[in-house]
Amino acid sequence: MELPFRKITEQYYPENFYLGISNHAKLIGKLSTEIADREFGYITPANDFKQSYVHPTFNSWRWERPDAYLSHAQKQNQVIRIHGPISPQCSKWIKEDIRTAIELHQMLTEYMTELCVHYGNCPNVLWMDVVNETIAKDDLDDPLFGQQKTGEWFSARQGTDKWENPWTIIGYDEESDIRVPLYIDMAFEISNKYAPNVKQIINQHGDFEENVWSRMKDLVKYLRSKGRRVDGIGWQAHIDTGWEKVPGNLKRLDNFISWCHNNNLEFHITEMNVWIKDGDISRETEQAETFAEVIDTVLKHHKNGVVGVSFWNVRDEDTANPNWMGCLWRNDGTERPAYKRIKEILIENIH
């Protein structure tokens, strides 16, 4: 119990299980990075590799932040997940409604190719979330682009100020039974070619809704039928305290991990927060149990295949929702009860 997470996983989980956290290059030298370096050997630079930073306009490039974190991680002997290359986390240039399929096709090809060439042969880069948040987790009705229903493809929206995925403007495979957006296959074709040494992951958010993850299974089958290599599935578990108490949630998660391993896929929770949205500090113990139940469900599969859990940001102030208290560390660097409770789960699952 006195060991940091990093020592526990290195000593007692030498294979098939990864425990990590996201962080930002702008926080190198600050408290959050000090904690991350002490506790984790696996890091996801949260926004530093995304299109919105690296290739924000048609003719501009920025590599400073991803290079900085890659250099820092090498010094700390940490492995890296490249997060969200082709995703809704894109620049306002991409989101402008006047963009054409030809323009978006060129931007995706240039950005994805350069990203893979830059980082595809770095020995400490283990995974890449090739596509991120491809399936709608809410019902939406956009005045310009029409309806989007939960479990269907997440797509473009009017303007540049909304959460959207404009890459669908490139088009769809009309011969596919599930009408797969062309950008998904394009992204995997490029990453398969130019980053063959990196595990290729599909990353998806939501509360683990049945129709969303059924669509995910169909997407994997589609990509593999096209000859694309898909190595794993990631779930962005930004969940509320008490998620595990909702009937069916843990069972669906458990069954999906089994499906992944039965289909030669790794399973990762790539982003994990457990929110206390009402700000009630007394619920931190309840929050700890939600973290514990989910991680315990994941860990029970580590003998059968690769599984991982990565927490999303170190301290509350590092997140987009600092008042929801969803991190393992408070802003002053003190640990929430979940920190100790997760250690207990790790120790209980050592065999």
Side-chain angles (χ1 to χ4, degrees), residues 324-344:
W324 290 359
M325 304 192 306
C327 299
L328 298 185
W329 285 270
R330 304 179 185 95
N331 288 336
D332 63 1
T334 57
E335 303 149 359
R336 287 201 165 92
Y339 176 80
K340 178 181 178 181
R341 187 70 184 95
I342 292 166
K343 279 190 178 179
E344 292 173 349

Side-chain angles (χ1 to χ4, degrees), residues 78 248 250 277 286 295 348:
Q78 294 166 324
L250 285 177
K277 292 179 179 176
E286 182 186 355
I295 292 172
E348 288 171 11

Side-chain angles (χ1 to χ4, degrees), residues 18-21 42 44 81 203-204 208 233-239 243 253 257 266-273 291 293-299 307-312:
Y18 295 87
L19 190 67
I21 201 162
Y42 156 33
T44 303
R81 169 186 295 279
N203 201 29
Q204 176 62 31
F208 230 82
I233 304 296
W235 173 37
Q236 298 175 193
H238 301 292
I239 57 178
W243 180 90
L253 174 61
I257 299 171
E266 298 182 0
F267 177 82
H268 294 261
I269 294 180
T270 54
E271 305 178 14
M272 190 173 189
N273 297 111
F291 271 112
E293 289 286 343
V294 172
I295 292 172
D296 186 55
T297 301
V298 173
L299 259 182
V307 291
V309 176
S310 180
F311 305 107
W312 191 246

Side-chain angles (χ1 to χ4, degrees), residues 251-350:
K251 185 62 176 174
R252 279 192 295 274
L253 174 61
D254 183 64
N255 288 343
F256 190 83
I257 299 171
S258 293
W259 179 86
C260 285
H261 288 163
N262 290 336
N263 286 275
N264 194 30
L265 292 162
E266 298 182 0
F267 177 82
H268 294 261
I269 294 180
T270 54
E271 305 178 14
M272 190 173 189
N273 297 111
V274 176
W275 306 121
I276 304 177
K277 292 179 179 176
D278 59 8
D280 185 353
I281 296 175
S282 69
R283 299 182 65 203
E284 287 185 342
T285 301
E286 182 186 355
Q287 175 194 51
E289 288 307 308
T290 301
F291 271 112
E293 289 286 343
V294 172
I295 292 172
D296 186 55
T297 301
V298 173
L299 259 182
K300 290 187 183 306
H301 290 267
H302 87 278
K303 295 288 186 179
N304 300 318
V306 173
V307 291
V309 176
S310 180
F311 305 107
W312 191 246
N313 289 296
V314 180
R315 298 180 296 148
D316 299 335
E317 66 182 39
D318 304 334
T319 75
N321 302 291
N323 296 324
W324 290 359
M325 304 192 306
C327 299
L328 298 185
W329 285 270
R330 304 179 185 95
N331 288 336
D332 63 1
T334 57
E335 303 149 359
R336 287 201 165 92
Y339 176 80
K340 178 181 178 181
R341 187 70 184 95
I342 292 166
K343 279 190 178 179
E344 292 173 349
I345 293 297
L346 291 173
I347 293 168
E348 288 171 11
N349 280 277
I350 294 171

Side-chain angles (χ1 to χ4, degrees), residues 11 35 42 45 98 105 195 200 212 218 236 267 296 300 328:
Q11 292 183 28
I35 294 170
Y42 156 33
I98 61 171
H105 187 288
Q200 320 262 302
V212 171
D218 291 338
Q236 298 175 193
F267 177 82
D296 186 55
K300 290 187 183 306
L328 298 185

